[in-house]
Amino acid sequence: MNGHVKSMNFQQFMGTAATLLSLLLLMAVASTRTVAASRSQLCANDMQQNLKLSRLTHKEAATLSKTYITSQGEMFESFCKVAVTGIPDPNISGMEPSERIVSIYSHLQAFFPHFNRVLEQQTDLQPPESPLLAQIKRVTARSKSLASRIKNLYQILFPNLPAPEPAGGPTTLPPSQNIFQQKVYGCVLLKTYKELVANVSKELRTLKNKVCRRGARMNTLF
């Protein structure tokens, strides 16, 4: 009888242990799903904020480009189609989402020294009250804010990868230019930047679907 009682107690113990283990596994799965859903939502929210900021930046960049052309004199817009060397590339590159986010950040950073150069040139050419100067400063500040948010987004999504840095080292600025060359350089630069920010908005929409929804799909596998 003692052996039979011991066997029954052992079976009851194993049954209780199995039940507890099942409960723990269910709790772990539920916790994993909750964390995954939370991260997916945070990703979507942050990506949406970046997308809104990129659209605002593109709108302001378009306004700045028009103001620039108007401020340079009549019949100047045709000169904005002239090829100018040293202007950063507006096209986003990379195969993986992490690479494309780094590309966005690097391209935005590459334009900042050029903005400073155009501001210096136009400060010499325009009256102090010119709206062009204020718009250049505003777009520069907005673009830096966008770049900072893009970097933060990258570090949230890919915490184990190195922080993004501007590619290719310091940006090369054009050598000394005469007044006409300065005007053409600024016009082409701002037109190219407007194209870049449009590309950034398109890329963020694509990344939002790929990166954030991927987290939600992973959640359904558990």
Side-chain angles (χ1 to χ4, degrees):
M1 289 293 293
N2 290 339
H4 179 70
V5 171
K6 289 181 178 179
S7 177
M8 290 293 292
N9 289 339
F10 179 74
Q11 290 177 0
Q12 290 176 354
F13 171 76
M14 292 300 295
T16 302
T19 301
L20 288 173
L21 181 60
S22 297
L23 289 173
L24 289 173
L25 287 173
L26 287 173
M27 291 173 63
V29 170
S31 177
T32 300
R33 286 180 174 177
T34 301
V35 170
S38 177
R39 287 179 178 175
S40 179
Q41 187 60 47
L42 287 173
C43 173
N45 291 342
D46 201 54
M47 193 73 78
Q48 185 63 29
Q49 291 301 315
N50 281 284
L51 185 54
K52 287 181 179 179
L53 183 56
S54 69
R55 288 170 177 166
L56 176 60
T57 306
H58 178 259
K59 180 180 179 181
E60 292 181 346
T63 301
L64 172 59
S65 183
K66 291 179 181 179
T67 303
Y68 184 94
I69 291 171
T70 301
S71 67
Q72 305 308 310
E74 295 182 1
M75 304 298 294
F76 186 79
E77 186 171 3
S78 59
F79 294 110
C80 294
K81 300 177 182 179
V82 175
V84 176
T85 59
I87 301 295
D89 184 5
N91 298 307
I92 309 302
S93 61
M95 297 295 293
E96 298 296 326
S98 59
E99 295 172 343
R100 299 189 73 80
I101 294 177
V102 168
S103 180
I104 292 174
Y105 176 76
S106 300
H107 281 68
L108 289 170
Q109 288 281 344
F111 274 86
F112 298 154
H114 290 277
F115 283 151
N116 291 336
R117 172 62 65 85
V118 171
L119 180 60
E120 291 173 359
Q121 293 173 344
Q122 292 300 310
T123 298
D124 293 336
L125 298 175
Q126 303 293 330
E129 67 276 8
S130 170
L132 175 62
L133 304 180
Q135 287 184 23
I136 294 174
K137 294 176 183 178
R138 181 164 58 250
V139 169
T140 301
R142 191 82 69 188
S143 302
K144 289 182 177 180
S145 178
L146 177 60
S148 178
R149 286 192 61 90
I150 292 295
K151 185 175 183 178
N152 290 338
L153 174 67
Y154 175 87
Q155 292 175 320
I156 291 171
L157 293 175
F158 310 102
N160 297 323
L161 296 179
E165 296 295 340
T171 300
T172 301
L173 294 173
S176 299
Q177 300 167 313
N178 59 40
I179 292 178
F180 177 75
Q181 290 173 328
Q182 290 179 15
K183 291 183 176 184
V184 172
Y185 159 68
C187 189
V188 175
L189 176 77
L190 297 179
K191 179 181 177 181
T192 305
Y193 183 72
K194 183 178 68 172
E195 182 181 351
L196 168 65
V197 184
N199 291 338
V200 169
S201 293
K202 293 177 183 177
E203 190 64 33
L204 289 176
R205 284 197 300 270
T206 301
L207 286 170
K208 181 181 177 182
N209 293 331
K210 284 184 177 180
V211 178
C212 299
R213 290 186 180 179
R214 182 175 62 186
R217 287 197 300 268
M218 288 294 291
N219 176 37
T220 64
L221 297 178
F222 292 93

